[in-house]
């Protein structure tokens, strides 16, 4: 059995009176990169949260490596699944200490290697004490994209085999976005990766896309297959392309 294979079997999830997930079943083989896309409020993040067991389904089952996540000890599950949120928060401490939270016993050299792989060299170069600079004090503040890269370094250091990226380039400017994307590529090597994405350009090369709409898997396949279907994903792609062109035209004006 693949140790990092994820299976979602007939899962239902409601919040108060609202049914958010309705009989969802899907499988993510070990080592694959998949994306959850779809309209806002369709259930993408809820589904990811069930996999990391932020909460449990009303019925149905989520398994990792053939084991119900409810039967995996909390510490083990935390070491198995890492989350990168769209607004990853850093604490008021040095960059080194922020990254080391991913693996408290890590040596300084390990932390610096993680920062390098997460494309943070330019951040460290401009700061007075490099990795020992305390952020959030004396005017030392980082942009959203820079904070994101340091959060990625933390996840790299932790080295969990399953990574969930929740719209993780949402706040990055173009320069930061290309660096964040490069950091993701490095982070994803040899891992099972789930991307929750609104920016469709980030999912064109994933192994499989699950279109989540109204709490169900409406379509699945790679981007080429889904565009050929001329269904929901194809419409989303056309809308996305139009919005990007509109934005570029507006900036040129």
């Amino acid at each position: 059995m693949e140790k990092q294979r994820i299976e979602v079997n007939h899962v239902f999830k409601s919040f108060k009176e609202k049914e958010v997930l309705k009989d969802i079943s899907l499988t993510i083989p070990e080592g694959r990169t998949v994306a959850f896309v779809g309209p806002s409020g369709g259930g993408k993040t809820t589904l990811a949260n069930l996999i990391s067991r932020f909460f449990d389904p009303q019925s149905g089952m989520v398994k990792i490596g053939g084991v119900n996540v409810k039967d995996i000890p909390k510490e083990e599950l935390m070491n198995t699944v890492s989350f990168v949120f769209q607004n990853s928060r850093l604490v008021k401490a040095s960059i080194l200490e922020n990254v080391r939270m991913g693996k408290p016993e890590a040596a300084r050299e390990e932390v610096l290697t993680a920062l390098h792989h997460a494309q943070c060299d330019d951040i460290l170069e401009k700061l007075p004490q490099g990795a020992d600079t305390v952020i959030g004090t004396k005017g030392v503040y980082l942009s959203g994209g820079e904070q994101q890269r340091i959060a990625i370094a933390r996840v790299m250091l932790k080295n969990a085999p399953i990574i969930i990226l929740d719209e993780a380039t949402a706040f990055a400017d173009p320069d930061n976005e290309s660096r964040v994307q490069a950091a993701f590529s490095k982070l994803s090597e040899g891992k099972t990766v789930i991307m929750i994405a609104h920016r469709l350009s980030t999912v064109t090369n994933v192994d499989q896309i699950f279109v989540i709409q109204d709490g169900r898997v409406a379509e699945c396949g790679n981007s080429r297959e889904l565009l050929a279907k001329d269904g929901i994903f194809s419409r989303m792609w056309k809308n996305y392309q139009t919005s990007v062109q509109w934005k570029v035209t507006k900036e040129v004006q």
Side-chain angles (χ1 to χ4, degrees), residues 164-183:
I164 299 174
L165 306 172
D166 186 358
E167 197 47 67
T169 60
F171 298 132
D173 55 74
D175 180 47
N176 258 306
E177 188 182 358
S178 64
R179 291 177 193 265
V180 169
Q181 291 291 3

Side-chain angles (χ1 to χ4, degrees), residues 107-125:
R108 182 183 178 87
E109 210 48 53
E110 278 184 89
V111 178
L112 293 176
T113 300
L115 281 161
H116 172 68
H117 286 321
Q119 306 283 314
C120 296
D121 293 349
D122 63 310
I123 303 171
L124 302 186
E125 279 165 17

Side-chain angles (χ1 to χ4, degrees), residues 46-210:
T46 301
L47 182 54
N49 284 337
L50 292 178
I51 292 166
S52 53
R53 213 186 163 203
F54 284 159
F55 35 70
D56 293 325
Q58 260 82 15
S59 63
M61 194 185 295
V62 178
K63 294 180 182 176
I64 295 177
V67 180
N68 188 335
V69 291
K70 289 182 180 178
D71 298 328
I72 299 174
K74 195 175 177 186
E75 179 111 350
E76 188 184 329
L77 191 60
M78 279 176 64
N79 289 330
T80 302
V81 183
S82 267
F83 231 107
V84 181
F85 296 100
Q86 57 177 297
N87 55 346
S88 297
R89 290 272 173 257
L90 301 179
V91 298
K92 191 171 173 180
S94 72
I95 287 177
L96 199 80
E97 289 164 317
N98 265 283
V99 175
R100 199 178 259 145
M101 287 164 70
K103 184 183 172 187
E105 73 281 9
R108 182 183 178 87
E109 210 48 53
E110 278 184 89
V111 178
L112 293 176
T113 300
L115 281 161
H116 172 68
H117 286 321
Q119 306 283 314
C120 296
D121 293 349
D122 63 310
I123 303 171
L124 302 186
E125 279 165 17
K126 72 175 184 181
L127 294 174
Q129 279 93 40
D132 297 305
T133 305
V134 175
I135 45 183
T137 56
K138 296 181 185 154
V140 178
Y141 293 99
L142 303 176
S143 72
E146 289 171 336
Q147 289 191 49
Q148 197 66 300
R149 283 185 271 151
I150 288 167
I152 293 167
R154 181 192 293 165
V155 173
M156 279 185 173
L157 187 66
K158 182 177 168 185
N159 200 26
I162 296 172
I163 312 279
I164 299 174
L165 306 172
D166 186 358
E167 197 47 67
T169 60
F171 298 132
D173 55 74
D175 180 47
N176 258 306
E177 188 182 358
S178 64
R179 291 177 193 265
V180 169
Q181 291 291 3
F184 281 156
S185 297
K186 188 74 184 169
L187 174 65
S188 303
E189 286 173 8
K191 312 276 194 226
T192 304
V193 181
I194 297 169
M195 298 171 66
I196 302 167
H198 299 284
R199 211 178 280 195
L200 295 186
S201 57
T202 57
V203 304
T204 48
N205 297 320
V206 302
D207 297 307
Q208 190 157 32
I209 297 165
F210 294 97

